[in-house]
Amino acid sequence: LRLMNNSDPQLDFKTQMQAVGEAHVVITNHGAFEGNMIYMRNSSLLVEIFGHYGNNEIHTFHRLAIMFGVFYARVHPRDLTDHLAQEYRLNHSDVVEVSNILKEYFSLKPFLANLKPS
């Protein structure tokens, strides 16, 4: 498990590429950082925390995930309504939803195709 603050100005591009390239699962809020999914391995999972913003960006990263062979899921926290919010909280049902997505993904084990034999 690796936690990163993707809005940290000290987080350089190389570190971002390496982090998503090594990950089987990336959970991130909606935004430009998701473009790094082009460096994710086939069959990895991106979970997008997407608020109720009322704009047309709704399918942008889902389409990108399909093009790059990345599994994609979205969680809509009820309290996230401002795209520029510096901080927000996930409530219990949001965390359960993310947990269920992860359980389903790990039960399917699509990432096994990417593991190198030891």
Side-chain angles (χ1 to χ4, degrees):
L1 175 65
R2 180 175 182 182
L3 299 176
M4 295 175 54
N5 177 356
N6 63 17
S7 63
D8 180 355
Q10 301 299 317
L11 185 63
D12 62 73
F13 184 64
K14 180 180 177 185
T15 303
Q16 292 178 41
M17 284 188 330
Q18 186 175 18
V20 298
E22 293 172 353
H24 291 291
V25 176
V26 173
I27 302 172
T28 186
N29 56 309
H30 174 76
F33 180 82
E34 289 178 274
N36 288 316
M37 85 170 74
I38 66 174
Y39 304 108
M40 292 175 73
R41 295 182 253 188
N42 252 355
S43 303
S44 52
L45 169 67
L46 178 94
V47 180
E48 177 182 30
I49 308 298
F50 190 93
H52 299 275
Y53 310 129
N55 58 26
N56 293 324
E57 298 175 14
I58 204 154
H59 299 292
T60 305
F61 293 112
H62 182 223
R63 290 182 181 133
L64 189 62
I66 291 169
M67 289 190 316
F68 285 91
V70 172
F71 286 90
Y72 173 89
R74 181 183 301 137
V75 175
H76 289 278
R78 282 186 220 131
D79 299 332
L80 183 56
T81 57
D82 180 5
H83 179 68
L84 299 176
Q86 294 295 313
E87 185 176 301
Y88 57 90
R89 297 179 190 272
L90 299 179
N91 63 33
H92 178 73
S93 63
D94 300 328
V95 173
V96 168
E97 187 175 355
V98 170
S99 176
N100 288 337
I101 291 166
L102 295 175
K103 284 180 192 174
E104 181 179 359
Y105 174 76
F106 285 111
S107 72
L108 296 172
K109 299 181 178 106
F111 53 87
L112 289 178
N114 294 320
L115 295 179
K116 297 176 183 170
S118 50

